[in-house]
Amino acid sequence: MMKIKSKSLKSFNRLFLRIVVFIAISFSVFICFNISRIKFSLDTYNGCKFSKDDLNYDFLFSANIEGDWVAQQAFDDVNKYRNSNRLANYEWSNKAFKEAQKHNEEQIRSGRILHEDFSKRCENIGAWSCAENIAAVWNTSTTPGTDAVNMWINSAGHRRNLEGSYKYMGVAGKKSGKYWWFTAIFYNSGW
């Protein structure tokens, strides 16, 4: 009789241990997934692997919340397009996002789409290879990020950047006057 109880206890302990391990793994995956959803704008987002610079959450509290949402929409749509063409996703770059925001302000001040100082933007983010897409979308659009990406897909030069062999991307959108202004920067860094 004693052997049976001991055998039952061992089975119970093994089952209990499996359940605890399953719950721990499930919880870790849940936490990682939810942190990565919040963290879209942090530089070099890479699943649930964070770098030392990943503790900058300033973008969540910026005055241009609507613009940040539109940037997320455009970023997601670019990666959906890349996936449909069997290309790897771009990783989000907070550095490129900030440069794109500044460039949108310049475009709004000038009232026109421009690529002036493109090489300076690339230099500011530490890129050794870099490309840029810009667009202006009517402000009546309910999906301005998607509309900007669709414009780029339908233009051979812009499409090359969407399909490029870059690792990082940052995009910003800002509504002003009749338009949503967009700048997307694609790049590789390091040597």
Side-chain angles (χ1 to χ4, degrees), residues 31-51 53-54 72 75-76 79 89-95 167-169 187:
I31 293 299
C32 180
F33 173 74
N34 284 309
I35 287 172
S36 67
R37 283 181 48 204
I38 291 169
K39 188 186 166 296
F40 98 88
S41 272
L42 295 176
D43 194 36
T44 63
Y45 163 65
N46 206 3
C48 214
K49 299 174 186 171
F50 304 113
S51 71
D53 299 323
D54 289 343
Q72 178 72 59
F75 180 71
D76 289 346
N79 278 332
N89 284 347
Y90 283 127
E91 293 180 30
W92 181 261
S93 168
N94 201 40
K95 290 185 242 177
K167 183 173 182 178
Y168 304 105
M169 175 189 176
Y187 72 101

Side-chain angles (χ1 to χ4, degrees), residues 135-141 143-145 147-148 151 178-182:
V137 176
W138 288 105
N139 72 7
T140 55
S141 172
T143 56
D147 293 348
M151 290 168 65
K178 298 188 291 190
Y179 301 105
W180 275 96
W181 299 83
F182 285 91

Side-chain angles (χ1 to χ4, degrees), residues 90-123:
Y90 283 127
E91 293 180 30
W92 181 261
S93 168
N94 201 40
K95 290 185 242 177
F97 170 70
K98 288 178 181 179
E99 285 298 315
Q101 282 181 314
K102 290 180 204 171
H103 186 248
N104 285 341
E105 293 294 335
E106 293 169 16
Q107 292 183 115
I108 289 166
R109 271 193 295 280
S110 73
R112 61 189 178 94
I113 293 176
L114 41 93
H115 282 289
E116 292 171 13
D117 296 325
F118 165 67
S119 59
K120 185 176 180 182
R121 284 188 289 285
C122 294
E123 185 180 309

